[in-house]
Amino acid sequence: MAAQTLDGKATAEAVRRDLAAEVSTLREQYEVQPCLAAVLVGDDPASQVYVRNKRQGCEAVGIRSVLHRLPAATELPRLLDLIDRLNEDRSVHGILVQLPLPRGLDEAAVIERIDPIKDVDGFHPVNLGLLAAGRPRLVACTPLGIRVLLRRAGIETRGRRIVILGRSITVGRPLALLLSQKGPDGDATVTLAHTATVDPAALCREADVVIAAAGQPELVRCDWIRPGAVVVDVGIHRRGDGSLCGDVHAPSVSQVAGWLSPVPGGVGPMTVAMLLHNTLQAARLQIGLLQGNESRPGS
Ligand code: GUN
């Protein structure tokens, strides 16, 4: 039997409707309009599309967005100077520097320059540290989006064996921390597999939930998946013929899995929705309404 669809597009739409109402309440009660500053360095076509989608997402829920474009040849001091100005600007609540940066620009230095309270990507070591300490504040958007996608589909994580493929700072590592947190939407037994893992297929076959964020096209095949398991595909790749695929070989895995997230229309729209959530959270933090990431997005 074919797997049920983990529909990120529909779920993100529902989340955005809720967010629009929350943004409107904030504007009425506190006269504050959340604002995202996006920084795009260079002219990578994929990055341009991602930033455009993020800005459109903002505008659709009443969040203001401003774009700062810098040439590919920008040197680090100039980029850091822009971040300093955005950190100081009280009308800006969230700062997003689109990655990857052109070669030669130190991404870690750039991320660390962002004021952690405006770090809507959740990549700053302070925000990763708070998550690791069990006190999440601004959490990376893709991990947060996956958690909401599972919750809204009614998929329990408590006590489940979850294998995550990929240990990136943007997805795998924060996701492992999030799903193993104590409490609702956590409490999973998480294995974080990576390029040095011996026999990832055997690990996946034991799992109730497999989350593929390895960055390898169609890595996960149907013989990796236990019948009925939940499979979340974080990858997005363009094949030679122009079509898209993920880290999961969807035609075969969908015949075995109980649930599968499609590419496109799965995790991607959830990531954008969580960026909007984080921008609203950042605004609330900055006007003193919250101490930490107290609301559960999309609950
Ligand atoms: N590039 C690919 N994914 C992301 C993301 O989530 N945030 C940023 N800033 N850049 C990215």
Side-chain angles (χ1 to χ4, degrees):
M1 210 179 76
Q4 296 189 72
T5 301
L6 274 169
D7 189 341
K9 192 160 173 270
T11 308
E13 256 166 45
V15 169
R16 277 203 304 269
R17 273 196 299 276
D18 296 347
L19 284 172
E22 292 179 53
V23 169
S24 161
T25 304
L26 191 81
R27 290 177 72 173
E28 277 162 25
Q29 291 185 345
Y30 297 94
E31 295 182 358
V32 169
Q33 182 179 21
C35 173
L36 175 74
V39 179
L40 181 58
V41 188
D43 38 34
D44 175 64
S47 291
Q48 290 182 41
V49 172
Y50 289 138
V51 168
R52 193 175 63 222
N53 287 344
K54 290 170 183 180
R55 295 193 66 211
Q56 281 172 353
C58 283
E59 266 124 54
V61 300
I63 292 175
R64 194 163 75 87
S65 81
V66 280
L67 174 63
H68 295 267
R69 291 198 70 153
L70 294 174
T74 300
E75 293 193 348
L76 187 63
R78 179 157 171 226
L79 179 53
L80 296 181
D81 188 56
L82 171 61
I83 293 171
D84 288 345
R85 281 188 281 121
L86 296 172
N87 283 340
E88 292 295 313
D89 185 341
R90 288 171 57 91
S91 72
V92 168
H93 302 100
I95 301 170
L96 173 139
V97 180
Q98 186 64 27
L99 304 177
L101 290 170
R103 272 238 293 272
L105 283 172
D106 180 349
E107 287 187 354
V110 171
I111 290 167
E112 286 175 33
R113 192 67 158 235
I114 297 171
D115 184 338
I117 214 165
K118 296 191 176 186
D119 167 39
V120 285
D121 264 325
F123 298 161
H124 193 288
V126 166
N127 286 320
L128 286 168
L130 285 168
L131 176 61
R135 294 185 287 125
R137 192 173 63 178
L138 291 169
V139 177
C141 302
T142 300
L144 212 49
I146 292 168
R147 197 179 64 165
V148 174
L149 192 57
L150 294 175
R151 182 199 311 143
R152 290 228 177 184
I155 295 166
E156 260 292 337
T157 52
R158 183 181 169 80
R160 311 290 292 276
R161 291 161 299 178
I162 299 184
V163 171
I164 300 169
L165 299 167
R167 57 183 156 185
S168 69
I169 291 299
T170 50
V171 185
R173 206 176 293 255
L175 184 58
L177 292 167
L178 198 59
L179 295 175
S180 58
Q181 297 267 305
K182 198 173 175 63
D185 309 320
D187 283 337
T189 304
V190 178
T191 304
L192 186 56
H194 45 72
T195 44
T197 297
V198 176
D199 203 353
L203 275 179
C204 287
R205 274 192 290 275
E206 298 288 309
D208 304 305
V209 181
V210 173
I211 302 175
Q216 289 186 49
E218 299 184 321
L219 171 74
V220 177
R221 317 297 293 192
C222 61
D223 60 340
W224 290 38
I225 300 301
R226 209 170 51 75
V230 177
V231 181
V232 179
D233 192 349
V234 183
I236 184 153
H237 313 277
R238 198 167 286 283
R239 294 192 188 94
D241 66 1
S243 61
L244 295 174
C245 70
D247 283 6
V248 174
H249 185 256
S252 64
V253 169
S254 65
Q255 299 306 308
V256 179
W259 290 87
L260 174 63
S261 71
V263 177
V267 172
M270 294 304 297
T271 298
V272 178
M274 292 305 115
L275 175 68
L276 313 179
H277 164 83
N278 276 353
T279 306
L280 174 61
Q281 287 298 96
R284 286 172 168 153
L285 284 163
Q286 284 157 58
I287 61 175
L289 292 178
L290 289 180
Q291 300 300 311
N293 201 344
E294 287 151 20
S295 88
R296 295 165 68 224
S299 52

